[in-house]
Amino acid sequence: MLLSKLFIPITKDLPSEAKIKSHQLMLQTGMIKQSSAGIYSWLPLGFKIMKKIEKIVREEQDNIGAQEILMPTIQSADIWKESGRYDDYGEEMLRISDRQNREMLYGPTNEEQITEIFRSSVKSYKLLPQILYHIQWKFRDELRPRFGVMRCREFFMKDAYSFDLNESEAVHSYNRMFYAYLKTFQKLGLKSIPMKADTGPIGGDLSHEFIILAETGESKIYADKRIFDVPIENYKNDMISLKKMRDDFSKFYAVTDDKFKQKDFNDNVKKSNQLQTKGIEVGHIFYFGDKYSKPMNCAVDGKDGKKTFVKMGSYGIGVSRLVAAIIEAKYVNKKMKWPKSVSPFDVVIIPSVTKDKKNLERGMKIYSELKKQGIDVLLDDVDENLANKFNKHDLLGIPFQIILGSKSEGNKIEFKEIDKESQLIEIKKIINTLKN
Ligand code: 5CA
């Protein structure tokens, strides 16, 4: 892609409404555009990053055997009346009526909808266990939407739902998802901590929030530092290993504000291991047994022929929130660096602009070569001095740069990984590095 052709409305001024770095940067680099309070359009750069995040989330759901579906955004109020949540959910729910005056709503989550699908199609335990998920827009009429896409009203969420015959199998589904979450955040270049959490309007008694550390996070967290060292690569996707994983994580104190008690913290964690900081909730998982299946009569014939209400859990990841959360976690010293797995481009070529256009022409040649090799490359062909270009690319955060200025000569080209020293190397080696 040529930067001059990319629809990327970069602004020089700091947007005054943005209080945190990710919100500023997303507006400044034209990733998003607010359309009304807490509602955003996603422009090419932001959308590309979000789609890469979505792809990784999907891969890890598929890896644990979850199956993708797509439910609508608009739901009928009837199923929410059945579960009893229609009144409980309160003003966060956007209620609408259609031309026949039927009560509808814009889904804030999909427990009712999935339970309705499941009860009408599954009658026997033989089809259990099942995990179904979708990646779909949600709407919550937040009282104070803030921090851009971090806490907005319309947001993109992966939500999964598990169905099991009994509690122990349901807990295994919960553990599978717990594992998928650790893997997902790892692939996104993030260190996440699973923390015991309250269940709020979703319900149930077993729940973990997945938090990534960031000073600007809204969640206060209290943890035993050693929780960071639990080696997730040691666990396998089987019942015994996953139980061990949960047990290993449970050994370490890790809670958010609402579950925090100073005395417990002091009793359980020695001073030198105490970590008290802030974080961003990027995922939240719940086990709630028959909270929905019972009132909505979602039952299967068990092995003994008796009707049993299925045991359910639900599992959310804030896909759109993650774009902002990654920025908060990765932005240092006025520089952004996207993890390679989600970067909008693999590499950017930055030629200095000269009268004879020599560097730009060279840039074009390298650009074609890289494209031929399947590398997603951006060429900064904008007529602007190098200092400005560097400032701009500090914000854009593409992890590798090819700089065509005074240093690049003959075969040797200046190549730089954003937070490292640049080196002069041959194009072949650059291609190899980028491909790896
Ligand atoms: N039904 C459950 C699990 S599917 C559920 O809705 N859980 S949740 O309320 O915790 O939301 C899941 C994730 O969505 C959160 O962890 C968070 O990352 C994201 N999220 C929730 N509310 C917002 C919001 N207002 N703006 C952006 N992301 C949000």
Side-chain angles (χ1 to χ4, degrees):
M1 188 74 189
L2 300 180
L3 186 57
S4 63
K5 299 278 186 291
L6 183 63
F7 185 82
I8 173 175
I10 295 181
T11 54
K12 291 230 161 62
D13 310 320
L14 274 184
S16 60
E17 73 270 33
K19 300 280 179 281
I20 60 170
K21 202 67 232 174
S22 56
H23 190 192
Q24 283 170 7
L25 268 181
M26 290 181 79
L27 292 171
Q28 243 184 321
T29 59
M31 289 172 61
I32 50 169
K33 165 97 176 62
Q34 182 171 327
S35 78
S36 57
I39 302 180
Y40 292 86
S41 296
W42 289 78
L43 306 185
L45 191 72
F47 193 45
K48 199 171 177 195
I49 294 166
M50 186 161 76
K51 279 192 289 187
K52 288 194 166 185
I53 295 173
E54 179 188 3
K55 183 167 171 272
I56 290 175
V57 169
R58 176 176 290 118
E59 278 164 11
E60 292 306 315
Q61 294 294 293
D62 294 347
N63 275 344
I64 56 155
Q67 296 166 64
E68 188 168 13
I69 60 172
L70 184 61
M71 291 179 271
T73 53
I74 307 290
Q75 304 179 22
S76 158
D78 295 347
I79 47 177
W80 286 71
K81 287 180 181 163
E82 274 190 62
S83 75
R85 269 210 300 184
Y86 192 58
D87 294 327
D88 293 353
Y89 214 92
E91 298 204 286
E92 261 191 29
M93 184 187 277
L94 181 67
R95 295 153 207 259
I96 39 193
S97 56
D98 67 10
R99 66 204 293 170
Q100 326 282 2
N101 260 332
R102 277 186 291 246
E103 291 174 291
M104 312 291 283
L105 56 101
Y106 194 125
T109 174
N110 287 63
E111 280 80 6
E112 285 72 4
Q113 182 110 65
I114 195 83
T115 307
E116 205 286 314
I117 293 172
F118 205 83
R119 72 175 173 194
S120 57
S121 22
V122 177
K123 303 290 175 209
S124 158
Y125 75 93
K126 287 182 187 148
L127 219 81
L128 299 178
Q130 284 288 341
I131 302 180
L132 301 172
Y133 74 98
H134 75 162
I135 306 178
Q136 175 65 292
W137 293 95
K138 305 287 182 296
F139 194 94
R140 293 183 188 170
D141 202 353
E142 297 269 349
L143 182 59
R144 282 188 298 128
R146 57 192 178 278
F147 307 143
V149 298
M150 195 76 93
R151 179 164 299 281
C152 49
R153 297 200 296 166
E154 191 181 41
F155 57 97
F156 204 40
M157 192 210 280
K158 183 285 299 178
D159 39 326
Y161 302 87
S162 63
F163 302 87
D164 285 276
L165 190 59
N166 56 47
E167 180 161 342
S168 73
E169 284 168 25
V171 168
H172 177 51
S173 293
Y174 186 92
N175 293 349
R176 281 160 72 197
M177 201 54 84
F178 193 102
Y179 176 75
Y181 275 38
L182 293 171
K183 290 273 176 193
T184 302
F185 299 126
Q186 189 183 43
K187 269 197 183 171
L188 291 172
L190 300 170
K191 190 94 197 166
S192 67
I193 332 180
M195 304 209 154
K196 292 191 190 80
D198 271 348
T199 54
I202 309 292
D205 47 20
L206 171 62
S207 172
H208 285 86
E209 282 178 15
F210 287 75
I211 305 268
I212 60 165
L213 301 188
E215 265 311 303
T216 44
E218 285 190 281
S219 313
K220 273 200 186 141
I221 57 174
Y222 305 85
D224 185 326
K225 272 184 199 156
R226 293 173 298 167
I227 198 164
F228 280 108
D229 303 328
V230 180
I232 61 173
E233 43 300 329
N234 288 2
Y235 305 105
K236 289 196 297 281
N237 187 4
D238 65 57
M239 202 161 195
I240 294 168
S241 183
L242 292 183
K243 184 177 178 310
K244 181 164 181 338
M245 168 199 70
R246 272 279 308 291
D247 291 344
D248 289 349
F249 272 101
S250 306
K251 280 180 204 146
F252 300 109
Y253 187 90
V255 299
T256 51
D257 230 5
D258 36 21
K259 283 221 183 298
F260 176 71
K261 289 199 185 81
Q262 188 70 52
K263 187 174 177 320
D264 291 352
F265 195 37
N266 293 342
D267 290 350
N268 287 293
V269 189
K270 70 173 191 212
K271 266 275 183 284
S272 57
N273 285 333
Q274 288 185 358
L275 174 73
Q276 188 168 336
T277 178
K278 283 184 184 158
I280 301 168
E281 179 203 317
V282 286
H284 200 161
I285 62 177
F286 303 82
Y287 170 65
F288 41 70
D290 56 14
K291 173 172 172 178
Y292 299 89
S293 58
K294 200 169 180 182
M296 293 186 68
N297 196 22
C298 176
V300 294
D301 293 325
K303 289 176 189 154
D304 52 7
K306 272 197 213 141
K307 284 245 174 285
T308 314
F309 295 118
V310 292
K311 305 291 178 288
M312 292 174 57
S314 77
Y315 314 87
I317 289 184
V319 177
S320 50
R321 173 181 286 186
L322 267 165
V323 181
I326 293 174
I327 295 178
E328 294 297 334
K330 300 290 174 191
Y331 185 85
V332 272
N333 296 332
K334 302 197 169 163
K335 286 196 179 132
M336 178 59 207
K337 185 182 174 187
W338 288 104
K340 290 169 195 122
S341 56
V342 299
S343 173
F345 294 94
D346 299 327
V347 59
V348 55
I349 304 173
I350 311 175
S352 72
V353 180
T354 52
K355 275 218 180 83
D356 59 6
K357 302 239 157 93
K358 195 180 80 193
N359 289 328
L360 183 60
E361 276 162 22
R362 218 167 151 209
M364 282 289 195
K365 271 198 197 134
I366 297 175
Y367 175 76
S368 311
E369 174 74 31
L370 296 185
K371 275 184 58 161
K372 245 192 264 160
Q373 300 285 337
I375 293 165
D376 192 6
V377 50
L378 180 69
L379 172 65
D380 186 346
D381 57 339
V382 178
D383 191 358
E384 192 176 39
N385 70 43
L386 261 188
N388 279 353
K389 287 195 180 196
F390 287 142
N391 286 340
K392 178 174 60 192
H393 291 292
D394 281 348
L395 298 185
L396 288 181
I398 298 165
F400 293 103
Q401 302 178 336
I402 293 172
I403 302 160
L404 301 172
S406 54
K407 282 194 196 158
S408 297
E409 260 185 46
N411 266 341
K412 304 277 184 190
I413 293 170
E414 189 178 354
F415 182 62
K416 188 174 184 326
E417 184 164 356
I418 265 191
D419 45 8
K420 300 204 176 122
E421 289 293 312
S422 69
Q423 26 172 341
L424 292 172
I425 53 174
E426 288 166 27
I427 188 72
K428 266 193 193 154
K429 279 197 180 155
I430 294 180
I431 290 175
N432 277 343
T433 308
L434 292 172
K435 281 194 154 174
N436 291 333

